[in-house]
Amino acid sequence: MSRERDRERMVARLRERDDIGERALDALAAVPRHEFVPPARRDEAYADRPLPIGEGQTISAPHMVAAMADLLDPRPGDRVLEIGTGCGYHAAVTAELGADVFSVEYHAPLAERARERLDRLGYGVAVRAGDGREGWPEHAPYDACYLTCAAESVPDALFAQVRPGGTLLAPVGGATQRLVAFTVGEGACVRDRTDHGGVRFVPLL
Ligand code: SAH
Protein backbone atom coordinates (compact mmCIF):
# COMPACT_ATOMS: atom_id res chain seq x y z
CA MET A 1 0.00 0.00 0.00
CA SER A 2 1.22 3.52 -0.69
CA ARG A 3 2.71 5.74 2.02
CA GLU A 4 0.10 8.39 1.14
CA ARG A 5 -2.74 5.95 1.79
CA ASP A 6 -1.13 4.83 5.07
CA ARG A 7 -0.82 8.46 6.13
CA GLU A 8 -4.45 9.24 5.26
CA ARG A 9 -5.51 6.26 7.38
CA MET A 10 -3.39 7.41 10.30
CA VAL A 11 -5.02 10.85 10.16
CA ALA A 12 -8.50 9.32 9.79
CA ARG A 13 -7.94 7.28 12.96
CA LEU A 14 -6.80 10.41 14.83
CA ARG A 15 -9.88 12.28 13.56
CA GLU A 16 -12.13 9.55 15.00
CA ARG A 17 -10.80 10.34 18.48
CA ASP A 18 -12.65 13.64 18.14
CA ASP A 19 -10.31 15.56 20.45
CA ILE A 20 -7.86 17.04 17.91
CA GLY A 21 -8.67 20.08 15.74
CA GLU A 22 -8.62 20.11 11.93
CA ARG A 23 -5.63 22.46 11.64
CA ALA A 24 -3.40 20.02 13.51
CA LEU A 25 -4.80 17.04 11.57
CA ASP A 26 -4.13 18.82 8.26
CA ALA A 27 -0.54 19.46 9.35
CA LEU A 28 -0.01 15.75 10.14
CA ALA A 29 -1.58 14.84 6.81
CA ALA A 30 1.05 16.96 5.07
CA VAL A 31 4.23 15.61 6.70
CA PRO A 32 5.83 12.41 5.28
CA ARG A 33 6.55 10.66 8.62
CA HIS A 34 8.27 7.76 6.82
CA GLU A 35 11.07 10.17 5.83
CA PHE A 36 11.81 10.77 9.53
CA VAL A 37 12.22 7.17 10.71
CA PRO A 38 15.17 4.82 10.03
CA PRO A 39 14.84 3.03 6.64
CA ALA A 40 14.27 -0.35 8.36
CA ARG A 41 11.24 1.14 10.17
CA ARG A 42 9.51 2.76 7.20
CA ASP A 43 6.72 0.19 7.11
CA GLU A 44 5.81 1.12 10.69
CA ALA A 45 5.95 4.88 10.12
CA TYR A 46 2.16 5.35 10.11
CA ALA A 47 1.36 3.25 13.17
CA ASP A 48 0.39 5.39 16.15
CA ARG A 49 3.43 4.69 18.32
CA PRO A 50 6.91 6.01 19.05
CA LEU A 51 9.84 4.46 17.13
CA PRO A 52 13.61 4.41 17.83
CA ILE A 53 15.66 7.06 16.00
CA GLY A 54 19.16 6.42 17.44
CA GLU A 55 21.07 7.72 20.48
CA GLY A 56 18.51 5.90 22.66
CA GLN A 57 15.83 8.41 21.59
CA THR A 58 12.45 8.03 19.90
CA ILE A 59 10.18 9.87 17.48
CA SER A 60 7.00 10.73 19.43
CA ALA A 61 3.75 8.91 18.63
CA PRO A 62 1.57 10.74 16.06
CA HIS A 63 -1.33 11.27 18.50
CA MET A 64 1.03 13.03 20.94
CA VAL A 65 2.44 15.32 18.24
CA ALA A 66 -1.12 16.03 17.05
CA ALA A 67 -2.38 16.79 20.57
CA MET A 68 0.55 19.15 21.23
CA ALA A 69 0.18 20.88 17.85
CA ASP A 70 -3.52 21.35 18.61
CA LEU A 71 -2.83 22.85 22.05
CA LEU A 72 -0.03 25.12 20.81
CA ASP A 73 -2.02 26.15 17.70
CA PRO A 74 0.58 28.64 16.38
CA ARG A 75 -0.47 31.35 13.89
CA PRO A 76 1.39 31.77 10.59
CA GLY A 77 4.58 33.75 11.20
CA ASP A 78 4.73 32.93 14.93
CA ARG A 79 8.24 32.27 16.20
CA VAL A 80 8.32 28.95 18.01
CA LEU A 81 11.15 27.44 20.06
CA GLU A 82 11.27 23.63 20.21
CA ILE A 83 13.44 21.78 22.77
CA GLY A 84 14.27 18.24 21.58
CA THR A 85 14.49 18.12 17.78
CA GLY A 86 14.99 14.35 17.65
CA CYS A 87 14.44 13.38 14.04
CA GLY A 88 12.68 16.67 13.23
CA TYR A 89 9.18 15.28 12.72
CA HIS A 90 7.40 17.40 15.33
CA ALA A 91 9.28 20.48 14.08
CA ALA A 92 8.01 19.77 10.54
CA VAL A 93 4.42 19.56 11.83
CA THR A 94 4.86 22.91 13.63
CA ALA A 95 6.31 24.40 10.42
CA GLU A 96 3.28 23.10 8.46
CA LEU A 97 1.14 25.22 10.82
CA GLY A 98 2.99 28.25 9.45
CA ALA A 99 5.37 28.86 12.36
CA ASP A 100 9.04 29.86 12.07
CA VAL A 101 10.62 27.05 14.07
CA PHE A 102 13.91 27.21 16.03
CA SER A 103 14.83 23.84 17.49
CA VAL A 104 17.56 22.73 19.91
CA GLU A 105 18.79 19.12 20.12
CA TYR A 106 21.20 17.77 22.75
CA HIS A 107 22.68 14.96 20.61
CA ALA A 108 24.83 16.47 17.83
CA PRO A 109 24.40 13.50 15.42
CA LEU A 110 20.60 13.74 15.72
CA ALA A 111 20.72 17.52 15.21
CA GLU A 112 22.88 17.09 12.10
CA ARG A 113 20.61 14.43 10.57
CA ALA A 114 17.44 16.39 11.40
CA ARG A 115 18.88 19.56 9.83
CA GLU A 116 19.76 17.75 6.60
CA ARG A 117 16.39 15.99 6.45
CA LEU A 118 14.35 19.14 7.12
CA ASP A 119 16.35 21.01 4.47
CA ARG A 120 15.89 18.23 1.93
CA LEU A 121 12.13 18.16 2.53
CA GLY A 122 11.91 21.93 2.18
CA TYR A 123 11.17 22.85 5.81
CA GLY A 124 12.85 26.09 6.83
CA VAL A 125 13.51 24.97 10.39
CA ALA A 126 16.63 26.24 12.19
CA VAL A 127 18.36 23.51 14.23
CA ARG A 128 21.09 24.01 16.86
CA ALA A 129 23.02 21.26 18.63
CA GLY A 130 23.31 22.08 22.32
CA ASP A 131 21.62 22.04 25.70
CA GLY A 132 17.99 23.04 25.37
CA ARG A 133 17.93 24.09 29.03
CA GLU A 134 19.52 27.32 27.79
CA GLY A 135 16.96 27.81 25.01
CA TRP A 136 18.19 29.78 21.99
CA PRO A 137 18.48 33.38 23.27
CA GLU A 138 19.76 34.84 19.97
CA HIS A 139 16.31 34.44 18.37
CA ALA A 140 14.17 35.37 21.40
CA PRO A 141 11.51 36.49 22.12
CA TYR A 142 9.35 33.60 20.94
CA ASP A 143 5.58 33.54 20.68
CA ALA A 144 5.62 30.01 22.04
CA CYS A 145 7.92 27.23 23.20
CA TYR A 146 7.40 23.49 23.67
CA LEU A 147 9.47 20.64 25.04
CA THR A 148 9.45 17.12 23.58
CA CYS A 149 11.20 15.73 26.68
CA ALA A 150 10.07 15.88 30.32
CA ALA A 151 11.63 17.73 33.27
CA GLU A 152 10.67 18.00 36.96
CA SER A 153 10.50 21.73 36.36
CA VAL A 154 10.78 23.79 33.19
CA PRO A 155 14.14 25.65 33.03
CA ASP A 156 13.80 29.38 33.85
CA ALA A 157 15.66 30.37 30.67
CA LEU A 158 12.81 29.01 28.57
CA PHE A 159 10.16 31.13 30.35
CA ALA A 160 12.44 34.16 29.93
CA GLN A 161 12.61 33.65 26.15
CA VAL A 162 8.82 33.57 25.60
CA ARG A 163 7.03 36.92 25.24
CA PRO A 164 4.38 37.94 27.79
CA GLY A 165 1.10 36.34 26.76
CA GLY A 166 2.92 33.52 24.95
CA THR A 167 2.52 29.82 25.64
CA LEU A 168 5.00 27.27 26.97
CA LEU A 169 3.88 23.66 26.57
CA ALA A 170 5.79 20.96 28.44
CA PRO A 171 5.58 17.48 29.90
CA VAL A 172 6.35 18.03 33.59
CA GLY A 173 7.40 15.38 36.13
CA GLY A 174 9.50 12.26 36.49
CA ALA A 175 7.99 8.80 36.91
CA THR A 176 4.56 10.36 36.41
CA GLN A 177 4.26 13.25 34.02
CA ARG A 178 1.54 15.75 33.11
CA LEU A 179 1.34 17.79 29.93
CA VAL A 180 1.06 21.40 31.11
CA ALA A 181 0.39 24.60 29.15
CA PHE A 182 1.75 27.74 30.85
CA THR A 183 0.79 31.26 29.84
CA VAL A 184 3.78 33.53 30.38
CA GLY A 185 3.25 36.84 32.20
CA GLU A 186 5.41 39.98 32.61
CA GLY A 187 8.95 39.25 33.81
CA ALA A 188 8.67 35.59 32.75
CA CYS A 189 6.30 34.78 35.63
CA VAL A 190 3.58 32.17 35.09
CA ARG A 191 0.19 33.83 34.57
CA ASP A 192 -1.76 30.64 34.01
CA ARG A 193 -1.15 26.89 34.20
CA THR A 194 -3.47 24.37 32.55
CA ASP A 195 -3.03 20.64 33.11
CA HIS A 196 -3.79 18.52 30.05
CA GLY A 197 -3.40 15.12 31.65
CA GLY A 198 -0.95 12.26 32.02
CA VAL A 199 1.75 11.62 29.40
CA ARG A 200 4.99 9.65 28.94
CA PHE A 201 8.04 11.40 27.44
CA VAL A 202 11.80 10.72 27.49
CA PRO A 203 13.63 12.82 30.12
CA LEU A 204 15.23 16.21 29.47
CA LEU A 205 18.99 15.49 29.70
N1 SAH B 1 10.28 15.95 18.58
C1 SAH B 1 11.03 14.75 18.40
C2 SAH B 1 10.92 13.87 19.61
C3 SAH B 1 12.27 13.52 20.10
S1 SAH B 1 12.33 12.75 21.72
C4 SAH B 1 10.63 14.03 17.13
O1 SAH B 1 9.63 14.40 16.51
O2 SAH B 1 11.36 13.11 16.75
C5 SAH B 1 13.07 14.03 22.69
C6 SAH B 1 14.37 14.61 22.21
O3 SAH B 1 14.81 15.53 23.21
C7 SAH B 1 15.51 13.61 22.03
O4 SAH B 1 15.99 13.70 20.72
C8 SAH B 1 16.56 14.06 23.04
O5 SAH B 1 17.88 13.87 22.59
C9 SAH B 1 16.22 15.53 23.22
N2 SAH B 1 16.71 16.14 24.46
C10 SAH B 1 16.75 15.62 25.70
N3 SAH B 1 17.30 16.47 26.56
C11 SAH B 1 17.62 17.60 25.85
C12 SAH B 1 18.24 18.85 26.18
N4 SAH B 1 18.67 19.13 27.42
N5 SAH B 1 18.40 19.75 25.19
C13 SAH B 1 18.00 19.48 23.92
N6 SAH B 1 17.41 18.32 23.55
C14 SAH B 1 17.23 17.39 24.50
Side-chain angles (χ1 to χ4, degrees):
M1 209 181 354
S2 75
R3 307 285 189 210
E4 287 68 25
R5 186 93 58 80
D6 288 351
R7 185 154 70 247
E8 280 168 23
R9 290 198 175 169
M10 176 189 84
V11 173
R13 283 193 298 270
L14 293 173
R15 185 173 283 113
E16 281 166 20
R17 296 164 54 111
D18 224 24
D19 59 354
I20 297 165
E22 279 303 316
R23 270 191 94 223
L25 292 173
D26 286 349
L28 264 83
V31 180
R33 193 171 189 262
H34 62 275
E35 297 279 0
F36 291 83
V37 304
R41 296 287 193 157
R42 295 246 153 107
D43 288 345
E44 299 166 73
Y46 295 103
D48 192 10
R49 59 170 179 268
L51 291 171
I53 55 171
E55 309 293 331
Q57 301 300 327
T58 54
I59 177 173
S60 304
H63 75 267
M64 190 47 63
V65 174
M68 287 179 71
D70 189 51
L71 287 172
L72 203 72
D73 202 26
R75 298 295 107 189
D78 274 5
R79 298 161 66 79
V80 175
L81 174 64
E82 176 187 73
I83 305 303
T85 319
C87 63
Y89 176 70
H90 196 155
V93 170
T94 308
E96 284 287 350
L97 290 166
D100 288 336
V101 186
F102 300 85
S103 186
V104 185
E105 168 56 46
Y106 188 87
H107 292 288
L110 289 181
E112 183 62 25
R113 287 203 293 273
R115 189 184 296 119
E116 282 170 11
R117 180 181 290 126
L118 288 161
D119 275 355
R120 175 168 54 80
L121 296 172
Y123 291 106
V125 172
V127 179
R128 172 172 91 77
D131 188 352
R133 289 174 181 275
E134 294 158 15
W136 196 343
E138 289 79 1
H139 299 287
Y142 301 96
D143 297 292
C145 168
Y146 63 91
L147 285 78
T148 71
C149 35
E152 292 286 353
S153 65
V154 178
D156 291 340
L158 302 182
F159 282 106
Q161 290 172 30
V162 176
R163 67 165 169 80
T167 302
L168 196 155
L169 183 63
V172 178
T176 46
Q177 303 168 0
R178 319 281 304 171
L179 185 62
V180 180
F182 302 90
T183 305
V184 179
E186 291 296 335
C189 70
V190 173
R191 202 165 68 200
D192 188 38
R193 185 184 196 283
T194 310
D195 186 327
H196 291 283
V199 289
R200 189 88 204 106
F201 282 81
V202 298
L204 180 76
L205 298 168

mmCIF file of all heavy atoms in Angstrom, residues 53 57-60 65 82-91 104-107 110 130-133 148-149 202-205, ligand 1:
data_model
loop_
_atom_site.group_PDB
_atom_site.id
_atom_site.type_symbol
_atom_site.label_atom_id
_atom_site.label_comp_id
_atom_site.label_asym_id
_atom_site.label_seq_id
_atom_site.Cartn_x
_atom_site.Cartn_y
_atom_site.Cartn_z
ATOM 1 N N ILE A 53 15.013 6.227 17.029
ATOM 2 C CA ILE A 53 15.656 7.059 15.997
ATOM 3 C C ILE A 53 17.161 7.153 16.202
ATOM 4 O O ILE A 53 17.835 7.959 15.566
ATOM 5 C CB ILE A 53 15.052 8.489 15.966
ATOM 6 C CG1 ILE A 53 15.129 9.161 17.346
ATOM 7 C CG2 ILE A 53 13.622 8.453 15.443
ATOM 8 C CD1 ILE A 53 14.755 10.648 17.343
ATOM 9 N N GLN A 57 16.978 7.497 21.625
ATOM 10 C CA GLN A 57 15.831 8.406 21.591
ATOM 11 C C GLN A 57 14.751 7.866 20.665
ATOM 12 O O GLN A 57 14.971 6.912 19.921
ATOM 13 C CB GLN A 57 16.289 9.799 21.137
ATOM 14 C CG GLN A 57 17.349 10.404 22.031
ATOM 15 C CD GLN A 57 16.893 10.580 23.463
ATOM 16 O OE1 GLN A 57 15.718 10.843 23.711
ATOM 17 N NE2 GLN A 57 17.798 10.418 24.409
ATOM 18 N N THR A 58 13.570 8.489 20.727
ATOM 19 C CA THR A 58 12.448 8.030 19.900
ATOM 20 C C THR A 58 11.768 9.212 19.213
ATOM 21 O O THR A 58 11.845 10.340 19.686
ATOM 22 C CB THR A 58 11.370 7.310 20.757
ATOM 23 O OG1 THR A 58 10.982 8.179 21.824
ATOM 24 C CG2 THR A 58 11.892 6.000 21.321
ATOM 25 N N ILE A 59 11.113 8.919 18.089
ATOM 26 C CA ILE A 59 10.185 9.867 17.478
ATOM 27 C C ILE A 59 8.872 9.694 18.253
ATOM 28 O O ILE A 59 8.447 8.570 18.507
ATOM 29 C CB ILE A 59 10.007 9.583 15.964
ATOM 30 C CG1 ILE A 59 8.969 10.515 15.311
ATOM 31 C CG2 ILE A 59 9.635 8.140 15.685
ATOM 32 C CD1 ILE A 59 8.905 10.366 13.768
ATOM 33 N N SER A 60 8.237 10.803 18.640
ATOM 34 C CA SER A 60 7.003 10.730 19.427
ATOM 35 C C SER A 60 5.883 10.092 18.605
ATOM 36 O O SER A 60 5.886 10.147 17.377
ATOM 37 C CB SER A 60 6.560 12.131 19.856
ATOM 38 O OG SER A 60 7.587 12.795 20.561
ATOM 39 N N VAL A 65 2.056 14.150 19.039
ATOM 40 C CA VAL A 65 2.439 15.318 18.239
ATOM 41 C C VAL A 65 1.180 16.098 17.849
ATOM 42 O O VAL A 65 1.143 17.334 17.938
ATOM 43 C CB VAL A 65 3.239 14.883 16.988
ATOM 44 C CG1 VAL A 65 3.521 16.076 16.079
ATOM 45 C CG2 VAL A 65 4.544 14.209 17.398
ATOM 46 N N GLU A 82 11.484 25.038 19.863
ATOM 47 C CA GLU A 82 11.274 23.628 20.213
ATOM 48 C C GLU A 82 12.516 23.113 20.948
ATOM 49 O O GLU A 82 13.627 23.310 20.463
ATOM 50 C CB GLU A 82 11.052 22.793 18.950
ATOM 51 C CG GLU A 82 10.918 21.291 19.243
ATOM 52 C CD GLU A 82 10.866 20.431 17.979
ATOM 53 O OE1 GLU A 82 11.922 20.276 17.323
ATOM 54 O OE2 GLU A 82 9.782 19.930 17.652
ATOM 55 N N ILE A 83 12.321 22.423 22.065
ATOM 56 C CA ILE A 83 13.437 21.785 22.768
ATOM 57 C C ILE A 83 13.314 20.277 22.571
ATOM 58 O O ILE A 83 12.331 19.671 23.023
ATOM 59 C CB ILE A 83 13.439 22.146 24.271
ATOM 60 C CG1 ILE A 83 13.437 23.666 24.474
ATOM 61 C CG2 ILE A 83 14.632 21.489 24.965
ATOM 62 C CD1 ILE A 83 14.576 24.410 23.809
ATOM 63 N N GLY A 84 14.306 19.674 21.889
ATOM 64 C CA GLY A 84 14.269 18.236 21.582
ATOM 65 C C GLY A 84 13.864 18.000 20.141
ATOM 66 O O GLY A 84 12.756 17.558 19.847
ATOM 67 N N THR A 85 14.785 18.276 19.209
ATOM 68 C CA THR A 85 14.491 18.124 17.776
ATOM 69 C C THR A 85 14.264 16.669 17.405
ATOM 70 O O THR A 85 13.408 16.366 16.560
ATOM 71 C CB THR A 85 15.681 18.628 16.908
ATOM 72 O OG1 THR A 85 16.214 19.817 17.464
ATOM 73 C CG2 THR A 85 15.280 18.838 15.468
ATOM 74 N N GLY A 86 15.052 15.768 18.023
ATOM 75 C CA GLY A 86 14.986 14.353 17.655
ATOM 76 C C GLY A 86 15.235 14.193 16.168
ATOM 77 O O GLY A 86 16.248 14.644 15.632
ATOM 78 N N CYS A 87 14.292 13.576 15.485
ATOM 79 C CA CYS A 87 14.441 13.376 14.037
ATOM 80 C C CYS A 87 13.874 14.556 13.237
ATOM 81 O O CYS A 87 13.981 14.587 12.011
ATOM 82 C CB CYS A 87 13.742 12.083 13.623
ATOM 83 S SG CYS A 87 11.978 12.134 13.926
ATOM 84 N N GLY A 88 13.207 15.491 13.915
ATOM 85 C CA GLY A 88 12.680 16.668 13.230
ATOM 86 C C GLY A 88 11.210 16.580 12.837
ATOM 87 O O GLY A 88 10.664 17.535 12.275
ATOM 88 N N TYR A 89 10.570 15.456 13.157
ATOM 89 C CA TYR A 89 9.176 15.280 12.724
ATOM 90 C C TYR A 89 8.228 16.315 13.341
ATOM 91 O O TYR A 89 7.470 16.975 12.629
ATOM 92 C CB TYR A 89 8.690 13.861 13.064
ATOM 93 C CG TYR A 89 7.229 13.649 12.743
ATOM 94 C CD1 TYR A 89 6.789 13.596 11.416
ATOM 95 C CD2 TYR A 89 6.276 13.544 13.748
ATOM 96 C CE1 TYR A 89 5.450 13.429 11.117
ATOM 97 C CE2 TYR A 89 4.932 13.370 13.454
ATOM 98 C CZ TYR A 89 4.517 13.315 12.139
ATOM 99 O OH TYR A 89 3.191 13.156 11.843
ATOM 100 N N HIS A 90 8.299 16.460 14.659
ATOM 101 C CA HIS A 90 7.396 17.401 15.326
ATOM 102 C C HIS A 90 7.653 18.836 14.830
ATOM 103 O O HIS A 90 6.714 19.607 14.613
ATOM 104 C CB HIS A 90 7.607 17.295 16.846
ATOM 105 C CG HIS A 90 6.528 17.885 17.676
ATOM 106 N ND1 HIS A 90 6.273 17.472 18.966
ATOM 107 C CD2 HIS A 90 5.639 18.873 17.427
ATOM 108 C CE1 HIS A 90 5.265 18.183 19.452
ATOM 109 N NE2 HIS A 90 4.867 19.041 18.546
ATOM 110 N N ALA A 91 8.935 19.152 14.603
ATOM 111 C CA ALA A 91 9.277 20.483 14.075
ATOM 112 C C ALA A 91 8.634 20.705 12.705
ATOM 113 O O ALA A 91 8.148 21.803 12.401
ATOM 114 C CB ALA A 91 10.795 20.628 13.972
ATOM 115 N N VAL A 104 16.283 23.066 19.273
ATOM 116 C CA VAL A 104 17.556 22.729 19.915
ATOM 117 C C VAL A 104 17.573 21.239 20.249
ATOM 118 O O VAL A 104 16.618 20.722 20.846
ATOM 119 C CB VAL A 104 17.759 23.551 21.212
ATOM 120 C CG1 VAL A 104 19.149 23.268 21.802
ATOM 121 C CG2 VAL A 104 17.581 25.034 20.953
ATOM 122 N N GLU A 105 18.651 20.551 19.862
ATOM 123 C CA GLU A 105 18.792 19.116 20.124
ATOM 124 C C GLU A 105 20.110 18.841 20.843
ATOM 125 O O GLU A 105 21.166 19.291 20.396
ATOM 126 C CB GLU A 105 18.723 18.320 18.806
ATOM 127 C CG GLU A 105 19.127 16.863 18.901
ATOM 128 C CD GLU A 105 18.336 16.051 19.936
ATOM 129 O OE1 GLU A 105 17.095 16.168 19.973
ATOM 130 O OE2 GLU A 105 18.981 15.312 20.715
ATOM 131 N N TYR A 106 20.038 18.079 21.921
ATOM 132 C CA TYR A 106 21.196 17.765 22.753
ATOM 133 C C TYR A 106 22.240 16.921 22.009
ATOM 134 O O TYR A 106 23.434 17.163 22.108
ATOM 135 C CB TYR A 106 20.693 17.029 23.989
ATOM 136 C CG TYR A 106 21.725 16.800 25.056
ATOM 137 C CD1 TYR A 106 21.968 17.766 26.030
ATOM 138 C CD2 TYR A 106 22.436 15.611 25.101
ATOM 139 C CE1 TYR A 106 22.906 17.559 27.010
ATOM 140 C CE2 TYR A 106 23.378 15.392 26.081
ATOM 141 C CZ TYR A 106 23.615 16.367 27.034
ATOM 142 O OH TYR A 106 24.540 16.148 28.000
ATOM 143 N N HIS A 107 21.776 15.881 21.288
ATOM 144 C CA HIS A 107 22.685 14.963 20.614
ATOM 145 C C HIS A 107 23.068 15.508 19.238
ATOM 146 O O HIS A 107 22.231 15.574 18.329
ATOM 147 C CB HIS A 107 22.029 13.593 20.443
ATOM 148 C CG HIS A 107 21.819 12.865 21.734
ATOM 149 N ND1 HIS A 107 22.843 12.304 22.455
ATOM 150 C CD2 HIS A 107 20.704 12.616 22.450
ATOM 151 C CE1 HIS A 107 22.379 11.736 23.548
ATOM 152 N NE2 HIS A 107 21.085 11.917 23.572
ATOM 153 N N LEU A 110 22.033 13.610 16.025
ATOM 154 C CA LEU A 110 20.598 13.738 15.716
ATOM 155 C C LEU A 110 20.317 15.112 15.121
ATOM 156 O O LEU A 110 19.560 15.240 14.141
ATOM 157 C CB LEU A 110 19.741 13.534 16.974
ATOM 158 C CG LEU A 110 19.648 12.122 17.554
ATOM 159 C CD1 LEU A 110 18.736 12.122 18.788
ATOM 160 C CD2 LEU A 110 19.113 11.136 16.525
ATOM 161 N N GLY A 130 22.921 21.480 21.049
ATOM 162 C CA GLY A 130 23.307 22.082 22.325
ATOM 163 C C GLY A 130 22.311 21.724 23.401
ATOM 164 O O GLY A 130 21.417 20.904 23.177
ATOM 165 N N ASP A 131 22.499 22.340 24.573
ATOM 166 C CA ASP A 131 21.624 22.042 25.698
ATOM 167 C C ASP A 131 20.388 22.935 25.664
ATOM 168 O O ASP A 131 20.483 24.154 25.838
ATOM 169 C CB ASP A 131 22.387 22.254 27.011
ATOM 170 C CG ASP A 131 21.597 21.764 28.206
ATOM 171 O OD1 ASP A 131 20.410 21.396 28.033
ATOM 172 O OD2 ASP A 131 22.159 21.745 29.315
ATOM 173 N N GLY A 132 19.241 22.307 25.451
ATOM 174 C CA GLY A 132 17.986 23.041 25.369
ATOM 175 C C GLY A 132 17.596 23.745 26.652
ATOM 176 O O GLY A 132 16.721 24.618 26.639
ATOM 177 N N ARG A 133 18.236 23.380 27.776
ATOM 178 C CA ARG A 133 17.930 24.086 29.034
ATOM 179 C C ARG A 133 18.247 25.569 28.919
ATOM 180 O O ARG A 133 17.714 26.386 29.668
ATOM 181 C CB ARG A 133 18.755 23.503 30.186
ATOM 182 C CG ARG A 133 18.309 22.123 30.595
ATOM 183 C CD ARG A 133 19.244 21.536 31.635
ATOM 184 N NE ARG A 133 18.793 20.198 31.988
ATOM 185 C CZ ARG A 133 17.871 19.936 32.895
ATOM 186 N NH1 ARG A 133 17.317 20.918 33.573
ATOM 187 N NH2 ARG A 133 17.492 18.700 33.139
ATOM 188 N N THR A 148 9.829 18.472 23.973
ATOM 189 C CA THR A 148 9.451 17.117 23.576
ATOM 190 C C THR A 148 10.107 16.093 24.507
ATOM 191 O O THR A 148 10.177 14.918 24.196
ATOM 192 C CB THR A 148 9.822 16.825 22.110
ATOM 193 O OG1 THR A 148 11.246 16.723 21.996
ATOM 194 C CG2 THR A 148 9.325 17.914 21.183
ATOM 195 N N CYS A 149 10.610 16.588 25.654
ATOM 196 C CA CYS A 149 11.196 15.728 26.685
ATOM 197 C C CYS A 149 10.759 16.325 28.024
ATOM 198 O O CYS A 149 10.499 17.524 28.124
ATOM 199 C CB CYS A 149 12.711 15.684 26.556
ATOM 200 S SG CYS A 149 13.471 17.221 26.009
ATOM 201 N N VAL A 202 10.425 10.956 27.055
ATOM 202 C CA VAL A 202 11.803 10.723 27.488
ATOM 203 C C VAL A 202 12.243 11.919 28.336
ATOM 204 O O VAL A 202 11.720 13.022 28.177
ATOM 205 C CB VAL A 202 12.775 10.534 26.295
ATOM 206 C CG1 VAL A 202 12.396 9.310 25.474
ATOM 207 C CG2 VAL A 202 12.837 11.776 25.413
ATOM 208 N N PRO A 203 13.218 11.711 29.265
ATOM 209 C CA PRO A 203 13.627 12.821 30.124
ATOM 210 C C PRO A 203 14.466 13.864 29.409
ATOM 211 O O PRO A 203 15.214 13.550 28.480
ATOM 212 C CB PRO A 203 14.457 12.133 31.219
ATOM 213 C CG PRO A 203 14.900 10.840 30.638
ATOM 214 C CD PRO A 203 13.891 10.446 29.587
ATOM 215 N N LEU A 204 14.322 15.126 29.866
ATOM 216 C CA LEU A 204 15.230 16.206 29.471
ATOM 217 C C LEU A 204 16.585 15.859 30.058
ATOM 218 O O LEU A 204 16.686 15.557 31.243
ATOM 219 C CB LEU A 204 14.721 17.538 30.040
ATOM 220 C CG LEU A 204 15.524 18.800 29.734
ATOM 221 C CD1 LEU A 204 15.292 19.259 28.312
ATOM 222 C CD2 LEU A 204 15.142 19.921 30.698
ATOM 223 N N LEU A 205 17.646 15.886 29.229
ATOM 224 C CA LEU A 205 18.986 15.490 29.696
ATOM 225 C C LEU A 205 19.691 16.649 30.388
ATOM 226 O O LEU A 205 19.359 17.796 30.164
ATOM 227 C CB LEU A 205 19.812 14.994 28.510
ATOM 228 C CG LEU A 205 19.227 13.758 27.817
ATOM 229 C CD1 LEU A 205 19.938 13.505 26.491
ATOM 230 C CD2 LEU A 205 19.331 12.537 28.714
HETATM 231 N N1 SAH B 1 10.281 15.952 18.575
HETATM 232 C C1 SAH B 1 11.028 14.755 18.400
HETATM 233 C C2 SAH B 1 10.923 13.869 19.613
HETATM 234 C C3 SAH B 1 12.265 13.522 20.105
HETATM 235 S S1 SAH B 1 12.332 12.755 21.717
HETATM 236 C C4 SAH B 1 10.629 14.027 17.129
HETATM 237 O O1 SAH B 1 9.633 14.397 16.506
HETATM 238 O O2 SAH B 1 11.356 13.113 16.750
HETATM 239 C C5 SAH B 1 13.070 14.026 22.692
HETATM 240 C C6 SAH B 1 14.366 14.612 22.206
HETATM 241 O O3 SAH B 1 14.814 15.529 23.214
HETATM 242 C C7 SAH B 1 15.508 13.609 22.025
HETATM 243 O O4 SAH B 1 15.991 13.704 20.717
HETATM 244 C C8 SAH B 1 16.559 14.062 23.043
HETATM 245 O O5 SAH B 1 17.885 13.869 22.591
HETATM 246 C C9 SAH B 1 16.217 15.529 23.219
HETATM 247 N N2 SAH B 1 16.715 16.144 24.458
HETATM 248 C C10 SAH B 1 16.752 15.620 25.698
HETATM 249 N N3 SAH B 1 17.299 16.474 26.560
HETATM 250 C C11 SAH B 1 17.622 17.599 25.851
HETATM 251 C C12 SAH B 1 18.236 18.845 26.180
HETATM 252 N N4 SAH B 1 18.668 19.131 27.415
HETATM 253 N N5 SAH B 1 18.397 19.746 25.188
HETATM 254 C C13 SAH B 1 17.999 19.484 23.918
HETATM 255 N N6 SAH B 1 17.412 18.323 23.552
HETATM 256 C C14 SAH B 1 17.230 17.389 24.504
#
